[in-house]
């Protein structure tokens, strides 16, 4: 196994454990503290994704038997990270719904004489739809980046195969030249 991969893996495992702890503590918070904790977690998730990309690039440069094992590990890490992202979204969405309610209360819209419950419900539903759309846009962007990474990885693999074929071709040419001279 690659020493570089092991360093990245150790960093990832420590970061992942730290993010899981922060995530469970964030669910107990509310208001501004929760927003700050979610922001810290999202920054950590970005770091974890960067480490996974680095490990992926490192693994793809190794021998096929080692590479297969490491890529299987990376799939597990990606799955764990996706679960963590789902938890963060769940925690953040409860925070967003509470923030929308707080905004309504602060603006005086909670007064049932001024605004009907139906209007509040529609406003909350619209806020929820906007949040969902924003989440879908973020997910689409991540899929686009993952697709781009896959393309880069495929190009690297193709380049390595091309280099191997060129080397094999040159070797065969060198081996066949002495036999041509002997036949003359």
């Amino acid at each position: 196994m690659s020493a570089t991969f092991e360093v990245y893996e150790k960093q990832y495992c420590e970061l992942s454990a730290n993010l899981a702890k922060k995530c469970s503590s964030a669910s107990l918070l509310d208001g501004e503290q929760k927003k700050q904790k979610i922001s810290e977690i999202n920054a950590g998730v970005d770091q974890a994704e960067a480490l996974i990309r680095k490990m992926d690039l490192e693994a793809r440069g190794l021998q096929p038997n080692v590479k297969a094992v490491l890529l299987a590990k990376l799939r597990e890490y990606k799955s764990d990270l996706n679960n963590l992202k789902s938890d963060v979204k769940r925690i953040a969405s409860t925070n967003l719904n509470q923030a929308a309610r707080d905004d309504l209360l602060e603006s005086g819209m909670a007064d049932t004489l001024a605004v009907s419950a139906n209007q509040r419900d529609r406003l909350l539903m619209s806020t929820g739809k906007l949040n969902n759309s924003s989440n879908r846009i973020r997910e689409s962007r991540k899929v686009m980046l993952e697709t781009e990474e896959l393309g880069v990885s495929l190009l690297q693999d193709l380049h390595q195969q091309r280099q191997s074929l060129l080397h094999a071709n040159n070797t065969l040419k060198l081996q066949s030249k002495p036999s041509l001279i002997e036949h003359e």
Side-chain angles (χ1 to χ4, degrees):
M1 190 184 309
S2 162
T4 306
F5 185 92
E6 289 177 354
V7 169
Y8 290 147
E9 184 178 29
K10 182 180 178 192
Q11 290 173 352
Y12 172 80
C13 289
E14 290 172 358
L15 181 60
S16 178
N18 188 17
L19 288 174
K21 288 177 188 175
K22 284 184 178 182
C23 200
S24 46
S25 70
S27 64
L28 302 174
L29 300 174
D30 58 350
E32 202 56 43
Q33 290 177 330
K34 187 180 227 179
K35 287 179 186 177
Q36 183 179 0
K37 187 62 81 171
I38 289 171
S39 178
E40 289 174 22
I41 294 169
N42 285 331
V45 166
D46 291 342
Q47 288 176 339
E49 287 177 329
L51 285 170
I52 286 175
R53 283 192 298 275
K54 289 177 182 178
M55 285 188 284
D56 184 51
L57 288 174
E58 184 67 25
R60 291 188 186 279
L62 299 174
Q63 297 294 327
N65 57 343
V66 176
K67 178 171 136 177
V69 172
L70 297 181
L71 291 177
K73 270 187 177 183
L74 286 175
R75 282 191 291 276
E76 289 178 32
Y77 293 157
K78 288 178 183 178
S79 175
D80 292 342
L81 191 59
N82 284 334
N83 290 338
L84 183 67
K85 288 182 198 177
S86 296
D87 290 345
V88 171
K89 283 181 186 177
R90 180 185 45 79
I91 293 167
S93 69
T94 58
N95 197 40
L96 292 173
N97 289 341
Q98 184 61 41
R101 286 186 195 107
D102 291 346
D103 288 346
L104 286 174
L105 290 172
E106 287 175 13
S107 67
M109 292 181 72
D111 185 5
T112 55
L113 298 175
V115 178
S116 71
N118 186 27
Q119 288 173 319
R120 281 193 313 259
D121 290 342
R122 286 188 304 185
L123 182 59
L124 287 173
M125 189 180 350
S126 297
T127 303
K129 287 179 181 178
L130 285 172
N131 290 336
N132 289 338
S133 296
S134 176
N135 290 339
R136 284 195 303 268
I137 290 170
R138 271 192 228 104
E139 286 300 315
S140 298
R141 182 174 180 269
K142 288 179 183 180
V143 167
M144 178 196 69
L145 291 173
E146 289 172 0
T147 304
E148 182 180 339
E149 288 174 17
L150 180 60
V152 169
S153 178
L154 286 171
L155 285 174
Q156 288 173 339
D157 287 346
L158 288 172
H159 178 71
Q160 287 176 349
Q161 289 177 0
R162 180 179 179 272
Q163 294 295 17
S164 296
L165 289 172
L166 287 173
H167 179 69
N169 186 30
N170 289 338
T171 304
L172 287 174
K173 283 182 182 179
L174 289 175
Q175 289 176 351
S176 66
K177 282 187 182 180
S179 64
L180 290 176
I181 295 170
E182 290 173 8
H183 290 292
E184 292 179 358

